[in-house]
Amino acid sequence: MAVLRRMARRGAGADHVVDDPLDAAQERRVRAVLALGGVPQADLPDGVQQVRLRLLERAASGREAPRDVSAWAAVVASNLAMDWHRAKRRQERLGERLASLRQLEHPSGEDSRVLSLAVAQGLDDLPDAQRQVLVLRFYADLPVRGIAEELGIPEGTVKSRLHSAVRALRDRLHEDEVV
């Protein structure tokens, strides 16, 4: 955080501190997108800081501010999650999730834990592009048009990827007899 404050002070005098580029709702959305993209809880603060830093770097470079900061931040978070996801092997992530589920064991929530684990495994099995649009649409709550604009792809491509991702996830949950 001190780095962000130092960056904000440059050229503006020591008394001036720029407000946080992300409001509380945007930060929660960024955290959710990162978490659903497979980033561990311990790494979420770093991911949020990366999104803030990229927003500040964008402003410092003189580029135009994003039309919708919330959507832009969600897409950046999704890209960060994809980068993280590619860097880790699936087995390591699955082991971390299983360990965290064991720590959170409650006798009454067995069904929801099984469903959550099955959905997480299903998301892991999706191709990166399908996982990205699924998370942006259903977890970050971006409209198809917004996803297409932010990713720079046609709306039809977003719809196609969503359809394929939902079908694959549904098939996986039926195959595992979760639903």
Side-chain angles (χ1 to χ4, degrees), residues 16-176:
H16 180 71
V17 176
V18 174
D19 290 332
D20 189 342
L22 296 177
D23 65 27
Q26 292 164 336
E27 182 176 334
R28 283 191 302 275
R29 188 181 212 184
V30 165
R31 283 180 175 276
V33 169
L34 289 168
L36 290 166
V39 177
Q41 285 293 119
D43 293 338
L44 292 181
D46 290 337
V48 171
Q49 289 299 74
Q50 283 292 322
V51 172
R52 280 189 176 102
L53 182 60
R54 289 186 185 182
L55 190 56
L56 288 170
E57 286 172 343
R58 182 182 176 115
S61 71
R63 288 188 298 178
E64 186 177 318
R67 279 182 285 152
D68 182 351
V69 173
S70 186
W72 181 89
V75 170
V76 170
S78 175
N79 288 335
L80 287 171
M82 282 179 46
D83 291 346
W84 184 91
H85 187 74
R86 286 182 190 123
K88 300 292 180 184
R89 292 182 324 189
R90 183 180 308 145
Q91 204 60 357
E92 291 173 0
R93 288 190 318 278
L94 182 57
E96 290 171 4
R97 287 186 183 126
L98 288 173
S100 68
L101 286 175
R102 283 189 210 113
Q103 293 172 357
L104 299 173
E105 282 186 18
H106 298 288
S108 63
E110 186 65 29
D111 289 341
S112 66
R113 284 194 306 275
V114 169
L115 180 59
S116 294
L117 181 60
V119 169
Q121 288 173 331
L123 284 172
D124 283 348
D125 290 343
L126 292 175
D128 291 338
Q130 288 181 5
R131 182 181 331 98
Q132 183 179 35
V133 296
L134 189 78
V135 168
L136 290 172
R137 176 66 189 106
F138 295 109
Y139 294 103
D141 202 28
L142 291 179
V144 170
R145 173 174 276 151
I147 295 168
E149 288 173 2
E150 293 299 328
L151 295 179
I153 59 176
E155 286 183 48
T157 302
V158 173
K159 290 176 183 177
S160 174
R161 288 178 185 174
L162 277 172
H163 177 78
S164 298
V166 168
R167 186 179 60 229
L169 192 55
R170 183 185 315 118
D171 291 348
R172 170 68 186 258
L173 294 176
H174 284 295
E175 181 182 301
D176 292 346

